Amino acid sequence: MSRKVVAGNWKMNLNYNEALSLFNSVNTISAKDVEIIVAPASIYLAEFSKCSGRVKLAAQNVSNFKSGAYTGEISAQMLNSLNVEYCIVGHSERRSYYNETDQLINQKLHLLLENNISPIFCCGEILKDREKGLHNTIIEQQLKHGLQDLTKSQLLNCIIAYEPVWAIGTGLTATAEQAQQMHSFIRDVISQLYDLETASSLSILYGGSCKPSNSAELFAKKDVNGGLIGGAALKKETFNEIIDSF
Ligand code: PGA
């Protein structure tokens, strides 16, 4: 059975005091059967990892190299030494602004899993591809290449996030039906690459302008196991409402 997950991606927002105060208040949210994850800026992870509470920590990025002379980078091993449990990989902002390829994303996934960190693997198509009806093909390619050579048990330690690029930060949300169609397609692809049991155990999150006004409808869909939330995760109230909308 897939578990319910709501993850907040704070991106490059919030100064230290704002982030600490939001983290402390999100840490008090008490949703019984929903796993709550937040991904603050990496420089806050060391401090936040000392505050025990309800919330699990994710990094927003990791190096595709193990260690060494890579100025400015943060390794999977370093994240592991801070007890960071998750890391977002393959986000469309990294794919488009930092030219991250499926191959590089795949290297990051392997390093994370070798260091006991669960990747939140993002996939999503751009508007042009959806308009041309290519969305399934694009997602299938991202899954095949991004998840390459992962064993079944490694894959079971991943969370998949479907984030149509045209819905991220734009206020446009995929309809609940569009989300369900794609999530079910993702399960079919995983089922072909692995098996049905693995596909049904995976948590697949929806991301892209998910907010309190649409989360209940999205989460009610059979194959939508939660959300990866950007803008609406920056306020405790809206993040909490989304968590409560299961
Ligand atoms: P958004 O971002 O909720 O602000 O659209 C989602 C994401 O990028 O993960």
Side-chain angles (χ1 to χ4, degrees):
M1 262 293 278
S2 341
R3 58 193 201 282
K4 298 173 186 168
V5 179
V6 176
N9 176 8
W10 293 359
K11 307 189 181 183
M12 199 173 71
N13 292 297
L14 308 174
N15 67 29
Y16 173 71
N17 287 329
E18 292 163 343
L20 183 62
S21 144
L22 180 61
F23 185 74
N24 284 331
S25 62
V26 169
N27 230 346
T28 63
I29 294 177
S30 63
K32 267 189 279 101
D33 61 344
V34 182
E35 190 166 333
I36 306 171
I37 303 171
V38 296
S42 293
I43 50 166
Y44 305 146
L45 289 170
E47 167 109 16
F48 293 3
S49 68
K50 293 182 206 138
C51 317
S52 66
R54 180 75 178 73
V55 164
K56 296 187 171 167
L57 277 176
Q60 295 177 17
N61 186 27
V62 68
S63 173
N64 60 315
F65 295 105
K66 209 168 170 179
S67 65
Y70 301 101
T71 302
E73 290 294 290
I74 293 171
S75 72
Q77 216 173 13
M78 292 171 186
L79 294 176
N80 170 280
S81 69
L82 294 178
N83 298 317
V84 171
E85 289 180 60
Y86 292 95
C87 181
I88 298 171
V89 185
H91 192 280
S92 65
E93 286 151 17
R94 304 275 336 158
R95 290 180 191 259
S96 66
Y97 304 145
Y98 300 95
N99 303 317
E100 293 198 2
T101 60
D102 288 330
Q103 191 201 8
L104 180 126
I105 290 163
N106 181 253
Q107 290 167 355
K108 293 185 177 194
L109 282 176
H110 281 281
L111 283 171
L112 287 168
L113 288 159
E114 281 161 22
N115 285 282
N116 298 318
I117 298 169
S118 299
I120 301 175
F121 171 80
C122 304
C123 55
E125 81 285 357
I126 58 172
L127 186 58
K128 219 163 54 191
D129 288 328
R130 178 157 281 266
E131 284 170 348
K132 287 190 198 148
L134 293 174
H135 40 290
N136 284 1
T137 315
I138 299 288
I139 300 304
E140 185 169 4
Q141 290 309 310
Q142 289 179 356
L143 290 167
K144 278 190 173 153
H145 297 138
L147 303 176
Q148 200 170 330
D149 296 329
L150 254 56
T151 64
K152 183 171 149 174
S153 68
Q154 285 180 317
L155 181 68
L156 285 169
N157 279 318
C158 298
I159 291 176
I160 309 260
Y162 168 59
E163 301 204 302
V165 181
W166 45 273
I168 297 179
T170 58
L172 288 175
T173 324
T175 63
E177 288 67 34
Q178 283 172 321
Q180 168 56 29
Q181 179 277 324
M182 186 55 85
H183 285 223
S184 153
F185 176 73
I186 291 171
R187 266 192 232 286
D188 287 347
V189 174
I190 301 291
S191 186
Q192 280 159 29
L193 294 174
Y194 296 84
D195 54 52
L196 189 61
E197 199 195 337
T198 309
S200 5
S201 310
L202 272 184
S203 289
I204 308 179
L205 314 184
Y206 170 79
S209 300
C210 184
K211 43 188 182 276
S213 59
N214 57 28
S215 51
E217 201 188 346
L218 286 159
F219 297 173
K221 292 292 176 192
K222 181 170 147 279
D223 290 302
V224 180
N225 308 116
L228 179 54
I229 321 296
L234 294 172
K235 288 210 169 71
K236 185 206 170 178
E237 294 70 29
T238 43
F239 193 54
N240 203 356
E241 273 185 68
I242 292 172
I243 293 164
D244 279 347
S245 66
F246 265 110

